[in-house]
Amino acid sequence: GNSMSMNSRVPASFQSFPLTLASWNISNAQPSFAAPNFSQRSKESPRLIREECLRPSPSPDIIALQECPYPAFGQQEFADSGYVSIGTQGSHCGYVDLLVRKELTLRKAQPIIMLQQYDLPSVAATIELPNKVKIAVSSSHLEPFKEGAFERRMQCEMLMDILS
C-alpha cells in the first residue's frame, strides 16, 4: 500500500500552517494595584512577562508587546528563547515591539519601514510562512480613550492602507 499522508499530496501553498500570536500591553512593567511592590516588580516583572508569554504550548510564533519600558526590552528578554525583534517604535506610552520566532525570520520576514515615516505607533512586517503564504502582522499602541477616537481611527486607516 501507499503510506503517503493526505497532506503530502496537497501542494505546499495549500497546506495549513498553525500560527500562534500573543499580544500584551505590559504596562511599562510598572507596579499596579495587583502588584504594588515596586522593587519586587522591577526585579521580577521581565521574567514573569517572558514566562507568561511563553507558557502556552507551543509557544507563540509572534509576540506583539505594547508599553515596553525601553526600546530593547523585547529583544533583551526574548532573544534567548529564540525570538528576534523586527523593530520597536515609540508610542504615547513606552514602546511597541514585534518579536518573531527566529525560524520565521529566516524565511523572509521583512519589516515595513514605511510606518516610521508616518510616525505611527506600530511595528509591522510581512512574513512568508513555511506553506509560502505571506502575512502582514503588526504590534500597535494606538491613541487611547474616548478623546482619541478620531486620531485612533486615522491611525487604523493609515495602518491598513500601508499593510494592504
Side-chain angles (χ1 to χ4, degrees):
N2 189 343
S3 63
M4 224 162 130
S5 73
M6 177 68 143
N7 274 346
S8 63
R9 292 184 298 215
V10 176
S13 61
F14 293 100
Q15 291 181 10
S16 66
F17 176 78
L19 184 72
T20 56
L21 180 115
S23 180
W24 193 1
N25 180 327
I26 61 170
S27 190
N28 278 311
Q30 293 295 313
S32 66
F33 289 115
N37 184 322
F38 184 81
S39 62
Q40 182 178 359
R41 175 116 182 207
S42 296
K43 286 186 269 186
E44 295 295 318
S45 65
R47 177 187 61 79
L48 294 170
I49 289 166
R50 184 179 55 255
E51 286 177 2
E52 190 64 25
C53 281
L54 300 177
R55 183 168 53 108
S57 183
S59 297
D61 298 298
I62 298 165
I63 300 173
L65 297 175
Q66 301 85 43
E67 293 192 21
C68 293
Y70 49 91
F73 178 86
Q75 184 65 36
Q76 179 180 316
E77 293 303 322
F78 290 90
D80 289 345
S81 299
Y83 291 87
V84 174
S85 174
I86 295 297
T88 61
Q89 178 69 13
S91 74
H92 62 273
C93 187
Y95 298 86
V96 295
D97 199 345
L98 184 63
L99 300 151
V100 178
R101 277 191 180 284
K102 203 174 288 182
E103 310 87 80
L104 289 178
T105 62
L106 297 175
R107 296 195 56 83
K108 304 179 193 167
Q110 299 293 322
I112 299 174
I113 306 297
M114 196 181 297
L115 296 176
Q116 292 174 345
Q117 75 187 31
Y118 291 106
D119 199 30
L120 279 169
S122 301
V123 175
T126 57
I127 300 172
E128 184 180 299
L129 301 177
N131 63 357
K132 306 289 186 205
V133 171
K134 271 185 138 176
I135 62 167
V137 293
S138 124
S139 179
S140 301
H141 196 228
L142 305 178
E143 197 62 34
F145 311 119
K146 184 178 181 178
E147 300 80 30
F150 177 78
E151 180 69 20
R152 185 171 50 254
R153 188 174 125 226
M154 298 284 87
Q155 290 171 328
C156 282
E157 288 176 3
M158 191 180 304
L159 183 60
M160 293 307 294
D161 285 345
I162 293 168
L163 295 179
S164 56

